Amino acid sequence: MTENDTRDAQAARRPAPARQPAGYRERLKSKPLLVDSDADEAPSPATRIEALQGLLRAQESYSAAFQSVAVAAVQILERALCFERRAADAALSLGQREKLNSMIDTAQEAVTSLRSALSTGKSSVMHLCNEADDEGTGEKPWWFALNDALGVLEEGTHRMASLISAQPDGSSSRELSEHVTHLLQSHHDALLLEADQWIS
């Protein structure tokens, strides 16, 4: 065996270099961001809400599973709204405030639609933006308010994603879970992009 053959054999036995995970900037570029209005493939906030409302209208009656997912979605979205509003209040520029207010309007419309689908006993579902969240909020600086909102959106996204796996394939409750998860994820990614632009 020649020296070249030996080197080739050793190279073949070496494990391939691990593929580095894409940075979050690359991940964000592939996501449908609310702040990226020029991306043709990204569903607009109006399209997201229309899809959610269409799903709600298509139900002749709401199953127990569907109602349970709707209750969880309302609580998660309303808690996210509390923190998004604080971030909007602390925004450093009019442009930031307008972007955040657009996101807030979208989430509020989703909550209103979901509440209309809840049965009488569940329509007064408690808010998850409670007194503990309100303690010491005052006038938080932009970065801290933004970081808090990101954390709540990430937590809500994980909770809704776990609901997806608990619903049967093809069920309306699974589709509802997916709609709300995508909405929360798009808000999270939009705020993450704002953080990146601010740091840059």
Side-chain angles (χ1 to χ4, degrees):
M1 182 180 285
T2 67
E3 186 177 342
N4 286 341
D5 290 338
T6 303
R7 276 201 301 268
D8 290 344
Q10 289 172 343
R13 286 195 299 271
R14 251 183 239 121
R19 185 176 177 181
Q20 295 297 317
Y24 76 86
R25 285 186 179 87
E26 287 72 21
R27 183 173 65 82
L28 288 176
K29 287 176 183 175
S30 67
K31 290 281 185 183
L33 299 176
L34 293 182
V35 294
D36 187 8
S37 57
D38 297 330
D40 294 335
E41 70 279 3
S44 69
T47 302
R48 292 182 189 279
I49 297 303
E50 284 169 13
L52 176 61
Q53 292 171 337
L55 174 64
L56 295 172
R57 283 193 302 268
Q59 309 301 306
E60 293 181 7
S61 62
Y62 300 114
S63 67
F66 191 92
Q67 291 259 322
S68 295
V69 170
V71 166
V74 166
Q75 291 179 326
I76 290 168
L77 284 168
E78 288 195 336
R79 185 158 189 261
L81 275 166
C82 291
F83 286 85
E84 286 183 0
R85 288 189 180 106
R86 291 173 198 162
D89 289 343
L92 297 174
S93 68
L94 180 60
Q96 283 180 341
R97 185 169 286 114
E98 287 175 347
K99 288 175 184 177
L100 282 161
N101 283 334
S102 174
M103 291 165 57
I104 289 165
D105 290 345
T106 303
Q108 186 59 63
E109 193 172 354
V111 167
T112 301
S113 298
L114 286 166
R115 278 193 176 275
S116 69
L118 296 176
S119 62
T120 305
K122 294 180 178 176
S123 58
S124 58
V125 59
M126 64 172 282
H127 295 255
L128 286 189
C129 188
N130 55 35
E131 292 177 5
D133 292 329
D134 291 332
E135 288 178 4
T137 53
E139 298 254 344
K140 272 200 171 182
W142 158 249
W143 178 252
F144 292 102
L146 181 66
N147 194 52
D148 287 347
L150 279 167
V152 169
L153 285 164
E154 185 171 353
E155 177 190 335
T157 301
H158 288 322
R159 285 189 60 200
M160 287 306 305
S162 70
L163 284 177
I164 292 176
S165 59
Q167 310 306 315
D169 287 341
S171 65
S172 57
S173 56
R174 187 183 184 96
E175 188 176 351
L176 176 59
S177 303
E178 290 170 346
H179 281 310
V180 177
T181 299
H182 291 320
L183 179 62
L184 289 165
Q185 184 67 63
S186 67
H187 279 213
H188 178 272
D189 285 348
L191 290 187
L192 200 59
L193 185 60
E194 282 298 312
D196 180 57
Q197 290 174 345
W198 185 74
I199 292 171
S200 302

